[in-house]
Amino acid sequence: MSIPKLPLAVDHIPDAKRHVYEQEPILSGRGLGIMFGRVVGLDGVDIDLYPGEVLAVIGDNGAGKSTLIKCLTGAYLPTSGEIYMEGRKVDFKRPQDAREAGIETVYQQLAVIPALDISSNLYLAREERRPGPLGSVLRMLDKKGMATRAGEAVTRLGIQTIQNMGQAVETLSGGQRQAVAVARAAAFGSKVVVLDEPTAALGVKESGMVLDMIKQLRDNGLGVILISHNMPHVWEAADRIHIQRLGGCAGVITPQSHDMGEGVAIMTGAKKLVAEAPA
Amino acid sequence: MTTSTSDAAAQFAGRQQSPVQRIQHLLHQFPWISPLLILLISFAVFTGLNPRFLTANSIGLLLQQTAIVAALAVGQTLVILTAGIDLSVGAIMVLSMMVMATLAKDGGMPGIIALIVGVALATGAGLLNGLLVTRINLPPFIVTLGTLSIFTAIALLYSGGSSIQESHLPGLINFLGDGFGIGKLRLTWGVILVVLMYAVVGFVLSQTAWGRYVYAVGDDPESARLSGVPSRRVLLQVYTVAGFIYGLAAWALIGRSGAATPNAIPDANLQSITAVVIGGTSLFGGRGRLIGTLIGAVIVQAFAFGLSLAGVNQQWRVLATGILVIVAVAIDQWIRKVKA
Ligand SMILES: Nc1ncnc2c1ncn2[C@@H]1O[C@H](COP(=O)(O)OP(=O)(O)O)[C@@H](O)[C@H]1O
Ligand SMILES: [Mg+2]
């Protein structure tokens, strides 16, 4: 253990989940800070994510939620602070560094390429080649194989309206695009999956499927960070809730320790979190 | 957008597409269809005007006339697919050509060395464009506008502005002007080289991961980066490969013109861009097929050739090309609006 764990709201963690928090965090940030010119994006944020938990991040617009996860996943280079994975310091210079470490991210702007088809998007920057010399010498892509597996990934998510993996993403609805981005993260995340408002464009039923998928990933032992404005979703799916406010962390609560109203009050600054004694 | 799955599915299945929408979808998927139609129609019309248009002899000539611009347009397509533009294509080709010819002139240097130096120089010129675009973040239009002047000036200063005739050049440097006949169809090695270029680059674009990166970087660079595509490296490679292609075009041009002449194709830049645009590749990046560019290049030459066979003033070709460019861009704007 190379860095001390952050204090947990552990009194309010159900006994059945306590073992999760006895492990080492899978992803940690310490003192993460970033400036955008003279605007403070993040102001020394600490965060721990445990394998097998859903950590929700809530906060007002502009509170720094997206910035926080971009710093954790190599999309932004934080100007201060450190990132640890499984206790070891890591240095993500580019998104693919985080990806190679097992972190998959659904960014708020989705990061899909409209002109490419669904299968190309799912496999972008991790293309699979044909077996034999066609792949090794001519570097030919295994388009068929990728399309088949892309279809399985999308079906696993339960999105039936997407049928043709050769369809360009720009011909999809907003919700379908979101489903493609989520399917990509779910299919390839091996340690951590980060979702920035993954249900914003989804209907009731699709949102339910994404929440089910999130729980599934957690039950498989992955750490999941979920950013959402939908408080019922957060209180349903999260094990702990990191409240982001004005670029800093206003505290970490659990669905058991605080109800939605209290959570929102802390988020908006109407109420201060009474610090709990570290366990 | 926020309908439930079953609603959306019902909508999906029950949606009636109007014929216009269906055409839009078809063109969206196959952007080379409209240039191909134009090509076929113009062939029909020109053959009607003068039956000599569709003879083996004429086709061979047409291909030879198309080859140089078609070669340049391969590099131009790569650059335009990344949402860039290359105004320095002609300048790089001429610089490379003059260096090749001057080095090899009157046995000064073995042809193969001169060729390698010339092509390497063009590759380096492309790399320079790429470095300016990716490291200093200058817009490609500005970068290549600048290097257009720089390379042109260097080429003229270096060559003294004078031509070098093929009689002063070794066989290898002239080689691409030689050819063979299949019946009455005469093809030059230059034409064969250009066809090979289309085959290789077309394969790379459509069948390899690198090809996908080119489209991704051109369509949405930030999303490509977040998806793990090494955007800047891909961009740099595109400009460098384009330079290499212009170097090969320089070689082909010496064979084609039977000389190295600084002002052999004065409007090579615009012609290459025209071929790409008429071929259905989007100037906004990320969309298009290389085969469309080949069709576009042939269309422009077919107009020139067909009109001269028909004894019509060449200004009609210029006028028709202008109309085609505008129509092609309008079609591109329209098919980009395609929705599910
Ligand atoms: N790339 C950027 N350039 C400049 N300012 C930025 C950038 N990204 C985020 N910000 C600023 O940082 C703050 C936090 O933004 P963000 O993390 O997107 O908030 P949230 O996701 O919580 O709504 C905002 O003031 C935003 O304007
Ligand atoms: Mg955000």
Side-chain angles (χ1 to χ4, degrees), chain A residues 33 101 138 191 221:
Chain A
L138 293 181
K191 291 181 176 165

Side-chain angles (χ1 to χ4, degrees), chain B residues 150-164:
Chain B
I150 294 170
F151 296 145
T152 305
I154 295 177
L156 289 173
L157 290 170
Y158 179 79
S159 68
S162 53
S163 308
I164 299 170

Side-chain angles (χ1 to χ4, degrees), chain A residues 36 39-41 59-68 76 108 196-197 229:
Chain A
F36 297 110
V39 177
V40 180
D60 260 339
N61 284 327
K65 305 181 294 295
S66 298
T67 305
L68 172 62
Y76 286 165
Q108 191 166 9
D196 194 347
E197 305 198 20
H229 280 297

Side-chain angles (χ1 to χ4, degrees), chain A residues 75 99 115 127 141 143 170-171, chain B residues 28 206 219 225 227 287 340:
Chain A
R99 220 160 87 160
E127 288 81 4
L141 294 174
K143 289 186 180 179
E170 66 196 333
T171 66
Chain B
H28 180 262
S206 68
D219 196 31
R225 185 184 82 88
S227 301
R287 274 151 249 256

Side-chain angles (χ1 to χ4, degrees), chain A residues 140-208:
Chain A
M140 246 177 121
L141 294 174
D142 179 15
K143 289 186 180 179
K144 243 188 169 159
M146 287 190 283
T148 309
R149 287 184 289 280
E152 288 163 6
V154 171
T155 313
R156 217 173 302 134
L157 199 60
I159 310 290
Q160 291 119 351
T161 54
I162 305 176
Q163 277 139 356
N164 176 8
M165 291 302 118
Q167 209 177 338
V169 161
E170 66 196 333
T171 66
L172 300 176
S173 71
Q176 289 173 323
R177 286 184 204 201
Q178 204 149 34
V180 168
V182 172
R184 171 166 72 178
F188 294 104
S190 60
K191 291 181 176 165
V192 172
V193 171
V194 179
L195 305 114
D196 194 347
E197 305 198 20
T199 59
L202 296 184
V204 178
K205 193 169 168 190
E206 286 97 337
S207 298

Side-chain angles (χ1 to χ4, degrees), chain A residues 224-269:
Chain A
V224 180
I225 297 180
L226 168 67
I227 297 179
S228 181
H229 280 297
N230 186 318
M231 294 305 143
H233 284 173
V234 168
W235 258 257
E236 179 197 332
D239 296 300
R240 298 187 302 140
I241 301 162
H242 170 118
I243 304 176
Q244 189 67 19
R245 179 171 160 70
L246 304 174
C249 175
V252 181
I253 62 174
T254 72
Q256 292 77 30
S257 68
H258 295 74
D259 65 25
M260 282 184 225
E262 291 167 322
V264 170
I266 298 167
M267 187 178 113
T268 55

